[in-house]
């Protein structure tokens, strides 16, 4: 006869099912949270790119019209300044680091010519800002492009 003290302890089927259910819930929550973190990192990368592009357009709109592009102003133009580094105290540089992500901004400013005379400017310039970066998570190259126009109102 077996005494109650000699019985071996084992897990019952309901205990095992509850354990499996709890583990499945924990794994599901972990997957949901990690995908949320990845999405927020991607959103942060795009937010920085949009801010860099917006900064370039706002600076261009506040610059005198004749100093905007290389065609009119040469190396003293805003376009040249955006796309080059001019010393240690240069605040407008093409490369920015944010966290583990390096952004590269390229600014193109072009004169809009009259359709009947390719040499005559109509007092309008287009600005195209391209921001490139590599995602820290995927290593994939991402690009954000925005274009606008600036009129000579003087």
């Amino acid at each position: 006869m077996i005494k109650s003290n000699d019985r071996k302890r084992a897990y019952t089927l309901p205990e095992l099912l509850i354990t499996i259910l709890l583990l499945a819930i924990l794994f599901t929550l972990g997957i949901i949270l990690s995908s949320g973190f990845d999405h927020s990192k991607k959103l942060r990368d795009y937010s920085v790119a949009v801010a860099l592009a917006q900064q370039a357009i706002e600076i261009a709109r506040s610059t005198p019209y004749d100093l905007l592009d290389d065609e009119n102003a040469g190396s003293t133009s805003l376009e040249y300044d955006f796309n080059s580094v001019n010393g240690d105290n240069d605040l407008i540089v093409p490369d920015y680091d944010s966290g583990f992500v390096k952004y590269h901004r390229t600014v193109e400013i072009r004169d809009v010519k009259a359709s009947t005379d390719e040499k005559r400017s109509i007092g309008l310039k287009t600005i195209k800002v391209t921001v490139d970066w590599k995602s820290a998570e995927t290593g994939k190259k991402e690009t954000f492009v925005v274009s606008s126009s600036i009129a000579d109102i003087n």
Side-chain angles (χ1 to χ4, degrees):
M1 177 166 178
I2 299 177
K3 295 181 184 176
S4 63
N5 293 349
D6 293 340
R7 289 177 65 187
K8 293 186 177 182
R9 290 284 300 158
Y11 293 108
T12 63
L13 184 60
E15 290 173 331
L16 288 174
L17 289 176
I18 289 172
T19 303
I20 291 171
L21 178 67
L22 289 174
L23 287 174
I25 290 171
L26 287 175
F27 284 133
T28 304
L29 287 175
I31 290 170
I32 290 171
L33 288 176
S34 73
S35 69
F37 290 141
D38 291 343
H39 184 69
S40 67
K41 289 177 186 176
K42 188 174 184 177
L43 186 61
R44 183 205 64 220
D45 292 348
Y46 272 98
S47 296
V48 171
V50 168
L52 289 172
Q54 183 179 10
Q55 176 194 42
I57 289 176
E58 292 301 319
I59 290 171
R61 288 190 176 159
S62 65
T63 300
Y65 187 79
D66 293 334
L67 296 177
L68 287 174
D69 65 341
D70 292 347
E71 185 178 324
N72 297 339
S75 64
T76 60
S77 73
L78 182 66
E79 181 180 13
Y80 180 83
D81 194 22
F82 268 123
N83 297 318
S84 62
V85 178
N86 300 315
D88 292 337
N89 295 328
D90 191 4
L91 298 176
I92 303 173
V93 292
D95 295 317
Y96 288 90
D97 292 328
S98 176
F100 297 107
V101 182
K102 184 175 183 177
Y103 297 87
H104 179 74
R105 174 175 59 193
T106 306
V107 177
E108 296 175 43
I109 302 174
R110 300 288 174 251
D111 245 347
V112 177
K113 304 291 184 178
S115 61
T116 56
D117 182 6
E118 287 294 320
K119 294 183 180 182
R120 186 173 61 92
S121 176
I122 62 170
L124 188 67
K125 294 186 186 282
T126 61
I127 179 171
K128 177 182 175 186
V129 182
T130 306
V131 181
D132 297 312
W133 71 95
K134 264 191 183 175
S135 171
E137 292 77 34
T138 63
K140 180 182 168 190
K141 183 180 176 184
E142 302 283 346
T143 302
F144 177 76
V145 179
V146 65
S147 297
S148 187
S149 59
I150 303 170
D152 184 10
I153 55 174
N154 294 327

